[in-house]
Amino acid sequence: MSNEERARWGILGTANIARKALVPGIRDSESSGLYAVASRDVARADKFGEEFDVPERYGTYEELLNDSRVEFVYIPLPNHLHKKWTIKAAEAGKHVLCEKPLGLNKKEVEEMFAVAEENDVKLMEGFMYRFHPQVQRVKEIIERGDIGEPTFFRGAFSFPMVAQDREDDIRWKDEMGGGSLMDLGTYSINTVRFLFGEEPSRVFARSSYHPNHTAEAETQAIMEFPDGRSATFDVSFLLDDRASYEVVSDSGSVKAFNTYGPGMGKRVNIEIIRGVSREQETLGPINEYALEVDGLVDAAAQNSKPLITREDSINQACVMDALRRSAEEENWVEVKWG
């Protein structure tokens, strides 16, 4: 595909996730090219543009959105800015890939999709792991009944951000939608919802805080599903690096390792356990960010639903709302869908 035929992407901000993940994803994609970057500081946009050979660099987000040549926009901004700039991008006629969590609550997510639909553009929440063959393979194992009828999910996602000694990190700021639940917990929630193919009925969460920060540092949660299935997960900015989950039945289990970011040249493993039998599968290396980019471009070209749909993101927000409320009230909370 020639450069002229490639979908033209613009990035709002120069966040590390854009630098380390989305830019390589666009470069590895079959469909796209990085055309523009914007920052509130034009010098930062220029530096980013020089590093990644981006043709257009802007000193405001509005300038990028006003560029009619930009077709797709990636939003890696702090969580509390997702709604504002997703809506502005949609109103400018751009298709939008916005990092998770899409909004701070269900109401924001619904408003964002309403504006996207009014302007006939696609909006997709950035759960890149859903494009990786690892989770697709786990889903296949479950649906084929290879481990029996699964009834329990356990997830773990952590890294010692406290050791990075970055006091200004937005993930430590509650007013910006920070915290381990909003950052890391979204993945376990999305994963079990996808693998079980249903929604939880009630949840319980407990959060703890670091003395120097406003956002919660760790959360442990339980999710109950209507058919007797259940899930637990823990997330933390204090514990060592972990990124894994397992699905268990009375006759077997499947475990996924190094998930939630296994791309960029890494191989990942799946372990299938049936009694004393253990079987390992290795997948990759595959850049799931490239697949994510191609997926949104294809949805726009075909006028079809993206892999992460409106309904999926709204339901995800409902569960997040319930978990945050549970942590505040220190009690079980019914998930509200209406």
Side-chain angles (χ1 to χ4, degrees), residues 1-22:
M1 181 181 291
S2 68
N3 288 336
E4 291 74 19
E5 296 174 310
R6 288 182 171 273
R8 291 183 294 275
W9 282 76
I11 297 177
L12 298 188
T14 56
N16 280 336
I17 185 67
R19 182 184 303 274
K20 295 179 179 180
L22 210 283

Side-chain angles (χ1 to χ4, degrees), residues 270-303:
I270 293 172
E271 184 177 51
I272 306 164
I273 302 172
R274 305 179 189 89
V276 297
S277 171
R278 292 175 178 264
E279 175 187 350
Q280 283 203 351
E281 298 181 6
T282 301
L283 302 170
I286 293 172
N287 191 330
E288 70 270 47
Y289 292 93
L291 299 178
E292 179 182 50
V293 165
D294 286 337
L296 183 58
V297 171
D298 184 65
Q302 303 296 326
N303 193 26

Side-chain angles (χ1 to χ4, degrees), residues 52-81:
F52 297 109
D53 193 25
V54 186
E56 298 295 331
R57 301 93 180 255
Y58 294 111
T60 68
Y61 301 150
E62 287 90 350
E63 287 178 278
L64 186 149
L65 297 181
N66 288 334
D67 187 334
S68 61
R69 294 165 293 184
V70 174
E71 302 168 283
F72 293 80
V73 168
Y74 173 61
I75 299 178
L77 298 171
N79 295 339
H80 72 299
L81 297 177

Side-chain angles (χ1 to χ4, degrees), residues 75-92:
I75 299 178
L77 298 171
N79 295 339
H80 72 299
L81 297 177
H82 287 182
K83 174 189 170 184
K84 174 181 178 179
W85 290 104
T86 291
I87 286 176
K88 284 183 175 291
E91 289 174 339

